[in-house]
Amino acid sequence: MATGPEHYVEAERLERQADTWMNADTGWKGGLTTTERLAYRMADLAAAQVHATLAGASAAALNDNAHDEGGMPLVDYHAWQKAAGVWQPKPQGGDN
């Protein structure tokens, strides 16, 4: 079973992969018909939607990082921020 952030990352990966099917002219993908490529693309997009839905449900259920008030633990909050690509850890040391 995957965590919410893992579902988010997988949804993004599948969405990027889906974009490659129609322009795949080399390797084993190059031997596929347009119909076969479209079928693979649609399967990737459907799987991406499932992962995105699970990620969204997880994020909504976990709420925020106000753990004392019923939100998610700070470590999970940081995992969500990292998965969404918006969080950058502060550098360690005295240059804060």
Side-chain angles (χ1 to χ4, degrees), residues 13-57:
R13 186 192 70 77
L14 286 164
E15 191 276 328
R16 285 189 307 273
Q17 180 173 293
D19 287 343
T20 68
W21 283 106
M22 297 316 290
N23 297 321
D25 296 327
T26 60
W28 71 271
K29 291 180 181 180
L32 298 175
T33 66
T34 300
T35 301
E36 290 169 326
R37 290 179 190 181
L38 184 58
Y40 278 109
R41 177 178 166 77
M42 297 307 293
D44 281 346
L45 290 174
Q49 181 61 52
V50 170
H51 283 286
T53 300
L54 292 169

